[in-house]
Amino acid sequence: MTEYILTTSPKLKRRHAKEARFKWYGRIAITIALGFLVLMFSAIIFRGIGAFSQTKIKLEVSYTESIIAPDGTRDPQILRLANYKPILTAALKETFPEATSRKDKKRIYKLLSKGAVYEMGKRVSNDLALIGTHQTIWVTASSDVDLFLQGKVDAGLNENLRKLTDKDIQSVQYLQHEGLLKRKFNTTFFTNGDSREPEMAGILGASLGSFFSLLVCFLIAFPLGILTAVYLEEYARKSKLTDFIEININNLAAVPSIVFGLLGLSIFLGVFHIPRSTPLVGGMVLALMTLPTIIIAARASLRSVPKTIREAALGLGASKTQATFHHVVPLAMPGMLTGTILGMAQALGETAPLLMIGMIAFIVDIPHGVTDAATSLPVQIFLWADSPEKGFVERTSAAIIVLLAFLILMNLLAVYLRKKLERRW
Amino acid sequence: MKIDMQQVSAIKPPILSAKNVDVFYGKKQAIDSVSLEIPENQITALIGPSGCGKSTFLRCFNRMNDTISICKVTGDIQFAGQDIYGPKVDVVALRARIGMVFQKANPFPKSIFDNVAYGPRIHDLAENKAQLEDIVITSLKRAGLYDEVSDRLHESGTGLSGGQQQRLCIARAIAVNPQVILMDEPCSALDPIATAVVEELMESMKEKYTIVIVTHSMAQAARISQKTAFFHLGKLVEFGDTEKIFTNPVDQRTQNYISGKIG
């Protein structure tokens, strides 16, 4: 009988080695990529996690009517902006009886956030019954106190190089010792607009700005993109003109986003006089930017619908439009939606074009519609990253975490929709 | 070309007739001056080697070639005495009269019911829900599928077996109540048992419908058809009674094809 060689020959061995090597290259590449990702996430989370809680100081305050509402008014609007500073100083005096000098009092008052008076105003205007009562409340501390509590202030450093003086640190340590300091979940960060004070700054304004911009962007780009794709793919005869359009759509997808910003500046703001800095114009610019992405994705998913489905419908006497909208478009919808969501996610992270149309302004108010001046999440991150106050460092990372969370959510939605709506044939 | 026209037309006027039909794909000529008359309520088979143009010719009858932008059809094709390429003809109305079943079963990824109901719905054939249900059930019964699927009408049509899917496509075509059903190699993707079922079905359908079938299988043509047309290189070589074509062909090329020498 012939003896066949079934064991590994040197030649086969080399082939196996090649395969093994290639597998390892792949594994190494993935490990490096994952490593960078983990590094990025952990760095951002490590820096930003502090911003999700906030230091509060426990104070015994008396809402003395003669100070808050000397004329006896109960109008929440007026009470919101009433004079609360004396109340807070009085409360601090009880906590620090030894601070009698004017300088000391001033120094101790600075342990509180500059926004503490507004907090008081909000409290009172929300609950008028507080006036004339005596309450124990937690007041937001200044950003420097917060940083100290997180161990981010080096007490060994020369006193002149840090914002908290040695005396401040003593006071803080006293408060800590008495149990009058606490770090609580930072609701301010999620309910406020931008602020000059890190401890008062929040991302609600920027988030809503982003939301309204994306809404406008979606309302414009989705129907336009889908209809363009359907027309080009299903109706348009192939000609020089459609080739030209196709090339230009692909080119548009590669145009740097700041160019769209310039276009928005000169056309939307310059010619049509759409109000500056608003989500309306921001959304329009983002729509221009997203449109090619949506068109390309939609065309690809229309192309992936088998020709047999079109033939089946046409063969039954369906008109072209019926075949397209009853069968082809629904089948292509998961792909179209995925493309749209990915385009929107790209738009959510876009900063450059928004700078051009003035969405970079410092805006404290929360936008309530598409025509209110607003900023957006990435622009807010840019603004905070640029701020000198140390407290903004962690706010910046925290805002990045929020932005990433939204992006991940949108991508998950895309995956979910694709899985849910996908039909096999 | 030898056509026994007198004999055919003596019985009944043909439901479909083609005169000097040429089909071009761009500059390439796929069909060269084909004339053919298809008798009513019979099965006509178009046979020939791959690429001979038989499918292209079939698709002229319901103007499916219109969907291919580079395809151009000239000549005269009449359905029941009307020129189907005439200026006033609406392809949508034409395709409702001349249905089609394709090579690969192509049910919509919808329920079995919706697959069959789609045609009647778009053509407003049913006045109410009960009538629509009636059409669907009748069509499924005519396609010999009803007994197999009666308990799962609302499950996806793509979940059926290949043969069932093809019969579903036939039911879908029947539901529009056409006069002619064009079949483009309907059994090429089916196993012999499913093929036998579909063939039996065609046999029973010819009482009500005229069937034109393109097939690769000469055996199938011989089994089911009354008329056979043999195409070669875009030309109609021979057309006549199936029995005659297979037992006593006039043309040498036909002889060669049916004996397996070409194709």
Side-chain angles (χ1 to χ4, degrees):
Chain A
M1 226 160 57
T2 324
E3 200 163 308
Y4 295 102
I5 302 166
L6 294 175
T7 50
T8 315
S9 68
K11 202 176 169 188
L12 262 178
K13 205 171 176 182
R14 275 203 301 283
R15 262 163 60 183
H16 289 321
K18 210 171 177 181
E19 197 177 304
R21 261 205 314 281
F22 187 77
K23 266 190 204 160
W24 275 107
Y25 291 151
R27 284 178 193 149
I28 291 167
I30 290 174
T31 314
I32 292 174
L34 277 180
F36 277 120
L37 200 69
V38 168
L39 192 71
M40 185 187 86
F41 274 100
S42 48
I44 290 171
I45 291 171
F46 177 73
R47 280 179 169 207
I49 199 81
F52 289 105
S53 46
Q54 196 173 33
T55 305
K56 301 268 183 180
I57 299 175
K58 193 181 189 180
L59 288 179
E60 307 275 334
V61 296
S62 314
Y63 294 97
T64 320
E65 186 173 5
S66 58
I67 299 172
I68 305 169
D71 51 358
T73 181
R74 286 292 181 271
D75 182 354
Q77 292 299 329
I78 295 172
L79 287 171
R80 188 181 287 272
L81 298 171
N83 185 13
Y84 293 98
K85 195 175 169 184
I87 292 179
L88 289 172
T89 17
L92 283 169
K93 200 175 169 184
E94 272 177 46
T95 317
F96 294 99
E98 73 283 1
T100 44
S101 74
R102 200 179 146 78
K103 204 179 159 194
D104 268 354
K105 278 186 195 162
K106 213 171 165 186
R107 183 181 61 74
I108 283 173
Y109 184 70
K110 276 197 174 159
L111 294 180
L112 293 182
S113 162
K114 276 184 191 161
V117 288
Y118 302 113
E119 272 184 6
M120 299 289 286
K122 226 188 236 170
R123 272 208 181 91
V124 172
S125 58
N126 285 345
D127 184 7
L128 297 175
L130 284 174
I131 297 171
T133 62
H134 192 79
Q135 303 280 341
T136 307
I137 56 169
W138 291 92
V139 181
T140 305
S142 81
S143 168
D144 299 309
V145 174
D146 191 52
L147 289 172
F148 177 77
L149 248 67
Q150 290 185 54
K152 288 181 180 168
V153 173
D154 183 5
L157 204 69
N158 185 341
E159 195 178 359
N160 296 328
L161 294 178
R162 49 186 149 89
K163 281 207 169 167
L164 285 183
T165 61
D166 288 343
K167 275 188 172 175
D168 288 336
I169 290 176
Q170 270 172 23
S171 309
V172 173
Q173 279 165 344
Y174 167 74
L175 286 171
Q176 233 175 336
H177 184 255
E178 295 292 307
L180 301 174
L181 275 185
K182 199 160 85 179
R183 298 201 79 226
K184 288 180 157 187
F185 180 70
N186 188 357
T187 47
T188 315
F189 186 65
F190 295 100
T191 53
N192 270 23
D194 199 4
S195 169
R196 293 282 181 223
E197 315 302 328
E199 71 276 8
M200 284 292 125
I203 48 155
L204 184 63
S207 305
L208 282 177
S210 275
F211 170 76
F212 287 127
S213 301
L214 283 186
L215 188 69
V216 172
C217 170
F218 177 80
L219 290 179
I220 297 173
F222 183 68
L224 271 184
I226 300 300
L227 289 177
T228 308
V230 168
Y231 181 78
L232 284 177
E233 205 53 46
E234 302 292 324
Y235 290 88
R237 277 177 177 277
K238 252 197 136 8
S239 68
K240 287 253 162 64
L241 181 69
T242 52
D243 283 347
F244 180 73
I245 291 172
E246 183 162 358
I247 290 168
N248 278 295
I249 288 171
N250 291 339
N251 283 341
L252 274 183
V255 166
S257 55
I258 192 139
V259 176
F260 288 107
L262 278 169
L263 181 85
L265 175 64
S266 56
I267 307 284
F268 296 152
L269 297 185
V271 178
F272 296 120
H273 299 291
I274 297 169
R276 189 174 297 271
S277 302
T278 56
L280 177 63
V281 68
M284 287 164 78
V285 169
L286 292 178
L288 288 181
M289 210 197 72
T290 319
L291 207 49
T293 315
I294 295 181
I295 294 173
I296 291 170
R299 289 189 69 178
S301 72
L302 283 170
R303 232 172 284 153
S304 71
V305 175
K307 204 172 159 250
T308 54
I309 294 290
R310 294 179 180 84
E311 285 190 328
L314 291 176
L316 281 175
S319 67
K320 179 112 196 159
T321 309
Q322 283 171 329
T324 304
F325 286 96
H326 292 171
H327 300 287
V328 180
V329 171
L331 289 176
M333 207 30 108
M336 289 176 168
L337 284 178
T338 310
T340 306
I341 292 171
L342 294 183
M344 301 289 288
Q346 195 189 344
L348 174 63
E350 202 52 69
T351 324
L354 301 182
L355 304 184
M356 302 308 297
I357 47 131
M359 283 185 85
I360 191 170
F362 174 74
I363 292 152
V364 178
D365 292 332
I366 311 277
H368 292 289
V370 293
T371 51
D372 287 351
T375 180
S376 76
L377 271 175
V379 175
Q380 186 71 75
I381 291 166
F382 173 73
L383 281 169
W384 284 349
D386 222 22
S387 297
E389 286 88 354
K390 236 183 155 184
F392 276 123
V393 174
E394 56 183 22
R395 294 287 180 290
T396 307
S397 293
I400 292 172
I401 294 173
V402 172
L403 179 63
L404 285 177
F406 278 127
L407 288 174
I408 291 170
L409 273 180
M410 287 175 82
N411 283 311
L412 285 180
L413 181 69
V415 173
Y416 172 76
L417 281 177
R418 199 167 47 215
K419 286 262 181 295
K420 177 100 199 279
L421 298 174
E422 197 173 46
R423 274 172 159 158
R424 296 179 190 285
W425 50 80
Chain B
M1 204 173 69
K2 323 282 189 284
I3 299 173
D4 202 345
M5 276 206 193
Q6 278 76 27
Q7 201 197 328
V8 173
S9 48
I11 309 158
K12 234 177 180 185
I15 187 148
L16 282 169
S17 77
K19 272 195 200 88
N20 302 322
V21 172
D22 293 316
V23 181
F24 296 87
Y25 287 115
K27 277 180 185 151
K28 193 178 159 286
Q29 187 161 12
I31 293 289
D32 186 2
S33 189
V34 170
S35 300
L36 183 68
E37 294 195 332
I38 289 170
E40 204 171 354
N41 291 24
Q42 289 196 12
I43 299 178
T44 304
L46 310 182
I47 61 167
S50 290
C52 67
K54 54 194 189 300
S55 284
T56 301
F57 184 65
L58 184 78
R59 290 163 65 97
C60 291
F61 287 124
N62 68 344
R63 291 181 57 175
M64 273 313 263
N65 286 329
D66 291 13
T67 60
I68 303 163
S69 58
I70 55 162
C71 185
K72 207 175 130 234
V73 180
T74 61
D76 180 46
I77 301 177
Q78 293 197 344
F79 165 66
Q82 289 185 58
D83 179 9
I84 66 164
Y85 282 87
K88 282 188 179 163
V89 170
D90 190 330
V91 283
V92 169
L94 174 73
R95 287 177 192 153
R97 301 268 65 93
I98 304 178
M100 188 155 191
V101 174
F102 297 85
Q103 183 170 1
K104 192 172 168 284
N106 53 359
F108 301 125
K110 295 172 185 270
S111 73
I112 295 169
F113 184 91
D114 286 338
N115 259 288
V116 183
Y118 182 68
R121 275 192 185 128
I122 57 172
H123 295 297
D124 283 328
L125 296 184
E127 276 163 22
N128 52 46
K129 231 179 148 189
Q131 212 174 347
L132 184 67
E133 252 169 57
D134 194 48
I135 294 177
V136 170
I137 290 170
T138 315
S139 309
L140 282 171
K141 275 183 180 155
R142 281 206 189 120
L145 189 62
Y146 185 71
D147 294 339
E148 291 161 57
V149 299
S150 59
D151 54 341
R152 47 176 172 153
L153 286 180
H154 294 281
E155 283 172 35
S156 176
T158 48
L160 297 174
S161 73
Q164 288 174 325
Q165 286 193 17
Q166 197 59 291
R167 279 181 285 149
L168 177 62
C169 293
I170 293 172
R172 186 174 65 184
I174 292 173
V176 186
N177 199 20
Q179 268 61 53
V180 181
I181 298 175
L182 308 175
M183 295 187 172
D184 189 357
E185 297 186 33
C187 301
S188 66
L190 302 185
D191 62 67
I193 295 168
T195 302
V197 175
V198 172
E199 282 178 8
E200 214 173 290
L201 169 63
M202 280 189 256
E203 188 60 37
S204 69
M205 279 164 62
K206 75 172 187 211
E207 280 176 32
K208 214 167 167 338
Y209 311 97
T210 304
I211 295 174
V212 186
I213 177 173
V214 165
T215 176
H216 258 311
S217 154
M218 281 175 285
Q220 185 174 50
R223 275 196 302 270
I224 58 169
S225 68
Q226 285 75 54
K227 296 275 171 190
T228 297
F230 172 62
F231 282 74
H232 187 55
L233 299 175
K235 289 196 171 88
L236 177 62
V237 176
E238 195 165 344
F239 178 52
D241 289 338
T242 300
E243 215 182 300
K244 189 163 169 286
I245 295 267
F246 280 96
T247 51
N248 190 17
V250 180
D251 198 285
Q252 186 57 42
R253 288 169 292 179
T254 318
Q255 172 72 48
N256 288 345
Y257 182 70
I258 60 170
S259 60
K261 280 182 193 156
I262 54 170

